[in-house]
Amino acid sequence: MAKWGNVYGRKHNPSEYRSGLEDATVEYLKDKQEKVRYEELRIEWEDLKYRTYKPDFELDNGIIIETKGRFMPDDRRKHLEIRKQHPELDIRFVFSNANAPLNKGSKTRYFEWCEKNNFLWAHRVIPLEWLQESGTPATTKRIKLKTERKDK
């Protein structure tokens, strides 16, 4: 008889990363970057209340990489709001399956949503061209809101 917590044969992820895609991305970046910056940056943003966003990776050139297995509606809304509030940030997506539909029955795929909303995207692996672009990483651990907080 299976244990209650392991009904579907799933095992706890012993890695310090939240997904296999993040694990694979770290391994890929180890010999291609001076430093692998995993969840080091905090970006302040607001919708109905003050929030902070912790992107998965920041490359040596300052490009922010968000790895996604599932691309939920809240994530899509969050990234549109962050782009409005911080247009200077270059946020790009790496999907475990860029051809997955946004939701059951949807004709729109993850990559199509990115193209419609002017986000660069990749399927499973960060393209070498992204790593070779010029730029510098953030000089601070927290990127502040540019406007007065609404919840004060």
Side-chain angles (χ1 to χ4, degrees):
M1 184 170 172
K3 292 181 184 176
W4 178 255
N6 198 12
V7 175
Y8 300 105
R10 296 181 183 156
K11 295 181 180 168
H12 173 70
N13 181 1
S15 168
E16 64 183 278
Y17 307 106
R18 297 174 196 234
S19 72
L21 181 58
E22 288 179 359
D23 235 347
T25 302
V26 168
E27 288 303 313
Y28 175 76
L29 290 175
K30 277 183 181 175
D31 64 338
K32 294 175 177 56
Q33 296 282 286
E34 288 179 24
K35 179 181 179 188
V36 176
R37 293 173 191 82
Y38 174 73
E39 292 191 345
E40 289 184 6
L41 187 62
R42 304 288 182 277
I43 300 170
E44 296 179 358
W45 68 286
E46 276 187 316
D47 55 359
L48 297 176
K49 67 179 191 173
Y50 169 81
R51 300 176 186 272
T52 57
Y53 158 59
K54 190 168 36 171
D56 292 336
F57 299 95
E58 184 186 14
L59 302 180
D60 288 344
N61 56 14
I63 293 172
I64 294 170
I65 302 293
E66 185 65 28
T67 56
K68 288 286 180 200
R70 296 180 66 202
F71 199 26
M72 304 303 284
D74 284 346
D75 288 327
R76 298 192 299 265
R77 183 184 54 78
K78 170 180 69 179
H79 284 286
L80 291 173
E81 282 301 314
I82 290 170
R83 157 105 45 75
K84 281 183 200 171
Q85 295 171 31
H86 297 284
E88 75 283 1
L89 297 178
D90 186 358
I91 300 174
R92 303 178 186 190
F93 294 94
V94 175
F95 297 109
S96 60
N97 180 6
N99 290 312
L102 289 178
N103 50 51
K104 194 174 185 178
S106 175
K107 292 182 180 178
T108 306
R109 310 284 174 185
Y110 292 175
F111 77 91
E112 293 170 327
W113 181 91
C114 286
E115 289 175 353
K116 176 185 173 199
N117 292 288
N118 297 314
F119 284 100
L120 294 179
W121 63 275
H123 182 73
R124 291 199 181 135
V125 178
I126 298 171
L128 281 174
E129 302 84 55
W130 292 6
L131 300 172
Q132 295 164 349
E133 290 182 28
S134 63
T136 56
T139 56
T140 179
K141 295 283 185 193
R142 181 176 289 267
I143 298 175
K144 302 239 182 227
L145 275 172
K146 294 181 172 78
T147 59
E148 186 69 28
R149 282 178 55 169
K150 296 174 190 171
D151 65 351
K152 284 188 174 183

